Amino acid sequence: MSTRFEIERGWDVDGAEPIVETTSGRVRGFFDGPIATWRSIPYGAPVTGTRRFRPPTPPEPWDGVRDCLTFGAIAPQTMGTMVPVDSDLRMGEDCLWLNVWAPSRHAEEPRPVMVWLHGGAYCLGTAAQGIYNGRKLAETGDVVVVSVNYRLGALGFLDLSSLFHGFTPNLGLHDQLAALEWVRDNIARFGGDPDNVTLFGESSGAGCVTALLTAPRAAGLFHGAIAQSPPATTVFGRERAAIVARRYLELLELSPAQALDLIDLPIERVVQAAGLLFDKIPLEEPGRLAAAPVVDEDLLPGYPIDRFQRGHSHRVPLIIGTNKDEASLFRLFRSPIMPVTPDAVTMMLRDVAANHPEMSAERIAEITSAYPDLDKTRGALAMSTDAAFRMPAHWVADAHATHTMTWVYRFDHATPMLRAARVGAGHATELPYVFGNFGTLNHDPTFWLGGRKQATEVSGRMMRRWLAFARHGVPAALDGSKHWPPYRPSTRTTLLIDAVDRVVDNPDHELHTAWGDQAVGFS
């Protein structure tokens, strides 16, 4: 590595290890081929004691060099099969950290930065999952990749402020903003450009992206956004949040007067009760989650979908899309998170009607008419996919595209094994294509029936598009890939990502006609 590079980037090299000075102290990483990697750099202090339900504070500065070679504690959560997490990872409240992958070779200019927010229904997951390893993305695109660990579930997305005025809502979003501020203040020393940051995420991570696109405090912290399968209309009002908070206290056998006891409860008890709540509510009220962002009149001054439709989203270019068969994965894992049976979908529709009195019975009938086989599993899966992901993404795109460049995709590709298992292009199946990380799940069955060569080609095109967007603000992969025109509400031009990419105007025309332009959410 050249001395010039070390000086320009603020790097030091101690033997074979890269060392960088951050605002809190020096951090030591390691080289993984041509990529320098740092794991679990703190961007916030431990959220213990009175900090448990409060916004993050900066980490305590340290002397000497801090080793950032292994993963720290992951956010406390109830482990499940939907989000596989390595068994050697431990949970704890010192969980506000991020990972950095940076090319080690000299560059004339600062590199684009991509900041990743993982998914997991707002209550599961971690930036330590192998599928989110940013090394291949950093190497392929000559970019700096950052992945963020943030509070989840009861600690991050359960609004307890109705129980005690000192508890803050949207703590997971507050954590993400603190991480973006860390990137703004530190990433130049890793070779990144703080003025060219792309925020990207999947599932609830993408829901955080769409929420932050409407959060005034996020202005200027990122300059492009990618939302993969965002549940953009799953945002609670304060009344709904208060109901969930009371139910949480009941599970803990605490009265509202004992709410402050939450600060001192063992974290295991906090997490166990939350796990029960997160399973119960989707079963009793299909389509709803127990944890979600909340309209708090501060960080989120209004429902994100309303703010999009009023033109109040940040003027940054956006890629947004969904997978063709989103709900199939929830059927496979028998997860309660989404309704995947005809009975559950019928309950969901009743709930929608009850909570949207402005919607006429005719409107509900018009929506259901688009699903003639709603009494079969196939129809239920389609309805669930569209209510939770497909239509919310389209409503966001229709609104954002009126003032800022927007591109819409639908991920259709599935390997022979995933097609045989009736998963198809299920929820989250695009992740290994974006990161180039196939085979990171234990006993990964993806290629048991072949298809690796084709999937690798699809992944290459997808990575190049995402990387071109991060570098130039336009997803034009200069590799002979099909031109991807921007999305306009009048044409709804969409890229269908498959073995052969296709550009199609309004591929979901019948859904748009049935659902209409008025957003329907689970608030």
Side-chain angles (χ1 to χ4, degrees):
M1 186 187 296
S2 71
T3 303
R4 180 183 172 198
F5 179 83
E6 292 157 23
I7 293 170
E8 286 179 349
R9 295 296 178 260
W11 288 24
D12 211 354
V13 174
D14 179 10
E17 297 168 330
I19 296 175
V20 173
E21 181 83 41
T22 73
T23 48
S24 298
R26 301 172 81 200
V27 292
R28 176 187 285 113
F30 62 93
F31 287 110
D32 184 1
I35 301 300
T37 302
W38 291 261
R39 290 176 173 167
S40 298
I41 302 174
Y43 67 84
V47 283
T48 52
T50 56
R51 291 174 173 165
R52 181 174 277 178
F53 298 107
R54 300 288 298 157
T57 56
E60 287 290 324
W62 55 85
D63 296 323
V65 180
R66 182 186 182 110
D67 283 336
C68 292
L69 310 175
T70 59
F71 293 118
I74 69 172
Q77 58 193 271
T78 306
M79 298 297 190
T81 55
M82 277 293 290
V83 179
V85 173
D86 291 344
S87 58
D88 59 343
L89 295 172
R90 57 187 175 81
M91 292 188 288
E93 290 181 273
D94 188 5
C95 60
L96 303 189
W97 49 259
L98 47 78
N99 307 310
V100 178
W101 293 269
S104 58
R105 68 178 179 80
H106 169 70
E108 294 294 333
E109 300 289 336
R111 292 179 165 94
V113 180
M114 300 181 75
V115 177
W116 175 253
L117 303 180
H118 70 80
Y122 299 108
C123 61
L124 300 166
T126 169
Q129 287 168 251
I131 199 166
Y132 305 137
N133 187 313
R135 188 186 68 78
K136 288 182 183 175
L137 207 53
E139 182 178 0
T140 301
D142 195 33
V143 299
V144 176
V145 178
V146 178
S147 62
V148 180
N149 213 64
Y150 54 91
R151 277 175 283 184
L152 302 166
L155 303 174
F157 290 97
L158 208 57
D159 176 14
L160 305 174
S161 61
S162 59
L163 305 175
F164 174 63
H165 64 87
F167 292 162
T168 304
N170 291 318
L171 288 171
L173 296 178
H174 280 280
D175 293 347
Q176 293 161 8
L177 286 167
L180 286 166
E181 288 164 353
W182 184 97
V183 167
R184 178 195 63 199
D185 298 339
N186 290 281
I187 208 65
R189 294 172 183 262
F190 295 82
D193 184 354
D195 295 319
N196 184 12
V197 174
T198 297
L199 184 65
F200 70 135
E202 183 267 346
S203 192
S204 58
C208 294
V209 171
T210 52
L212 292 174
L213 274 165
T214 70
R217 202 183 121 200
L221 291 176
F222 57 94
H223 314 91
I226 303 174
Q228 301 167 207
S229 306
T233 54
T234 300
V235 178
F236 295 160
R238 298 304 287 272
E239 185 178 338
R240 169 69 185 174
I243 292 170
V244 175
R246 287 196 298 274
R247 291 195 63 180
Y248 181 57
L249 276 192
E250 289 167 7
L251 286 169
L252 286 165
E253 298 180 343
L254 295 176
S255 69
Q258 295 173 295
L260 272 178
D261 290 359
L262 289 167
I263 291 172
D264 300 314
L265 283 182
I267 191 62
E268 295 79 12
R269 194 171 165 206
V270 170
V271 169
Q272 182 185 33
L276 292 173
L277 184 72
F278 300 152
D279 282 345
K280 281 171 69 77
I281 284 184
L283 284 171
E284 295 170 2
E285 304 174 65
R288 288 186 184 274
L289 297 176
V294 175
V295 175
D296 58 6
E297 280 94 45
D298 176 25
L299 198 157
L300 293 184
Y303 288 103
I305 198 69
D306 290 345
R307 288 180 61 78
F308 273 107
Q309 293 185 334
R310 292 172 185 168
H312 294 161
S313 53
H314 298 307
R315 266 57 172 173
V316 302
L318 170 67
I319 292 175
I320 189 168
T322 56
N323 295 358
K324 186 178 181 183
D325 308 300
E326 294 278 6
S328 63
L329 201 72
F330 299 89
R331 177 190 60 81
L332 181 72
F333 286 110
R334 295 179 178 158
S335 167
I337 291 173
M338 284 187 73
V340 294
T341 65
D343 286 348
V345 167
T346 299
M347 287 174 66
M348 177 183 76
L349 288 169
R350 285 194 198 121
D351 189 42
V352 167
N355 285 278
H356 292 274
E358 75 283 1
M359 288 179 63
S360 65
E362 290 76 17
R363 172 99 196 278
I364 297 286
E366 191 173 0
I367 292 172
T368 56
S369 69
Y371 306 89
D373 50 1
L374 205 52
D375 59 339
K376 299 182 178 65
T377 298
R378 182 176 60 185
L381 291 172
M383 166 67 85
S384 196
T385 288
D386 298 338
F389 299 110
R390 184 99 71 234
M391 292 312 302
H394 279 307
W395 289 321
V396 168
D398 279 347
H400 196 70
T402 60
H403 58 69
T404 305
M405 295 287 275
T406 302
W407 288 265
V408 170
Y409 72 89
R410 195 181 75 198
F411 183 78
D412 288 7
H413 189 257
T415 65
M417 184 64 197
L418 292 181
R419 288 198 297 271
R422 293 188 297 158
V423 171
H427 190 63
T429 56
E430 90 287 1
L431 288 172
Y433 294 79
V434 170
F435 284 92
N437 292 334
F438 292 109
T440 50
L441 304 178
N442 292 335
H443 312 296
D444 189 343
T446 304
F447 299 116
W448 283 359
L449 296 179
R452 181 180 289 274
K453 181 175 183 293
Q454 190 176 77
T456 302
E457 291 170 356
V458 174
S459 172
R461 291 199 307 274
M462 205 166 177
M463 289 174 75
R464 287 189 290 273
R465 291 188 193 278
W466 265 227
L467 289 162
F469 180 79
R471 185 169 295 278
H472 304 295
V474 177
L478 303 177
D479 59 1
S481 294
K482 182 173 283 293
H483 175 57
W484 184 2
Y487 183 91
R488 293 184 177 83
S490 58
T491 58
R492 296 192 169 116
T493 304
T494 303
L495 178 73
L496 306 186
I497 299 173
D498 207 335
V500 176
D501 290 349
R502 293 186 296 139
V503 173
V504 177
D505 283 349
N506 208 356
D508 300 313
H509 168 73
E510 291 181 4
L511 297 180
H512 282 287
T513 301
W515 285 85
D517 298 326
Q518 180 188 347
V520 179
F522 298 95
S523 55

